[in-house]
Amino acid sequence: AAELEYESVLCVKPDVNVYRIPPRTSNRGYRASDWKLDHPDWTGRLRVTSKGKTAYIKLEDKVSGELFAQAPIDQYPGIAVETVADSSRYFVIRIQDGTGRSAFIGIGFTDRGDAFDFNVSLQDHFKWVKQETEISKESQEADTRPKLDLGFKEGQTIKLNIGNMTSKKGGAAKPRVSGSGGLSLLPPPPGGKIAVPPIPPPSSAAIANHVTPPPVQKSSNASNADILLDLDAPAAASKAPVSATTDLWGDFSTASSAVPNQAPQQSNWVQF
């Protein structure tokens, strides 16, 4: 796992000053005013990198990039990186070589913003380390807990009652009432009655197929008399004399003479 870890760059600052610092004589902390700030012992470039959970402060040459010293950091804030009491631009770091020897030196930035970036890069890295540690701890605790077995045992069955399914509103689903004629009617309201569909009127085909019963026949004597009367009636009517007058205007003359005391009319018309 250590071989698969890659190194990432957290912060790069092109100008950094390195100072030799006197040993600390009390517990009050380091003070930058005790250093020779106008005469730094070395000047170069600073890079902050990380590999896994460990951060590294690397002091390199500006031109060639050759490593001058590096300080591995396992915890921040801690003994590997400390701030000074009288300035925010200066820090004390613990450098180590490959043989296990270590020494404390002072570093300082000309710009206050560079010092701020350096401090924040270390804080962000170790905040991430803390979160990773908590996550891995929770996962280990979850693995040690007994797992809940929700599977069916051999021969175990489950029964589902489909008939008691609830509707969307949360109530039980009501069955539909099937009325006459194959129509599906909704259930009546509480306390109501089911409305019976009206009977359709008889169709024209049924009226056409209706048979009228034959009339009741009368007695033979009455029927014979009626038949004779029916036969005599046209004959009698045919024997009646028809008075035909040759004078078509006679009726008009008779009608005019029958009117009494009628004054004669002066007219050019001929009187009939």
Side-chain angles (χ1 to χ4, degrees), residues 42-58:
W42 184 86
T43 302
R45 180 181 66 187
L46 180 142
R47 284 197 311 139
V48 180
T49 63
S50 65
K51 190 174 183 180
K53 296 181 179 181
T54 305
Y56 296 88
I57 299 176
K58 295 185 177 183

Side-chain angles (χ1 to χ4, degrees), residues 204-219:
S204 58
I207 297 175
N209 295 332
H210 180 70
V211 179
T212 306
V216 181
Q217 296 183 357
K218 298 179 181 180
S219 61

Side-chain angles (χ1 to χ4, degrees), residues 120-201:
V120 170
S121 63
L122 293 176
Q123 289 178 355
D124 291 343
H125 171 73
F126 286 99
K127 185 183 295 183
W128 170 81
V129 170
K130 183 179 179 180
Q131 293 176 352
E132 288 293 323
T133 304
E134 293 177 354
I135 293 174
S136 61
K137 185 178 179 181
E138 290 178 358
S139 61
Q140 291 176 0
E141 291 178 356
D143 294 338
T144 56
R145 296 173 185 172
K147 297 182 179 180
L148 181 61
D149 186 10
L150 299 178
F152 286 99
K153 305 299 185 294
E154 184 178 359
Q156 186 178 4
T157 59
I158 187 173
K159 183 178 179 182
L160 299 177
N161 191 357
I162 306 299
N164 293 333
M165 293 179 64
T166 58
S167 61
K168 293 182 178 180
K169 295 182 178 179
K174 298 181 180 180
R176 292 179 175 269
V177 181
S178 178
S180 61
L183 298 177
S184 179
L185 302 178
L186 295 175
K193 297 181 179 180
I194 300 176
V196 181
I199 300 176

Side-chain angles (χ1 to χ4, degrees), residues 19-66:
Y19 304 93
R20 290 181 180 179
I21 60 175
R24 184 167 53 180
T25 59
S26 62
N27 295 329
R28 64 175 185 170
Y30 295 98
R31 296 178 63 86
S33 59
D34 297 337
W35 308 343
K36 298 178 182 180
L37 301 178
D38 297 336
H39 301 85
D41 296 302
W42 184 86
T43 302
R45 180 181 66 187
L46 180 142
R47 284 197 311 139
V48 180
T49 63
S50 65
K51 190 174 183 180
K53 296 181 179 181
T54 305
Y56 296 88
I57 299 176
K58 295 185 177 183
L59 302 176
E60 302 172 344
D61 187 81
K62 291 183 180 181
V63 180
S64 63
E66 182 181 359

Side-chain angles (χ1 to χ4, degrees), residues 92-109:
V92 176
I93 63 174
R94 184 184 62 186
I95 59 175
Q96 293 180 351
D97 58 4
T99 61
R101 293 182 304 174
S102 62
F104 290 92
I105 62 174
I107 61 174
F109 300 95

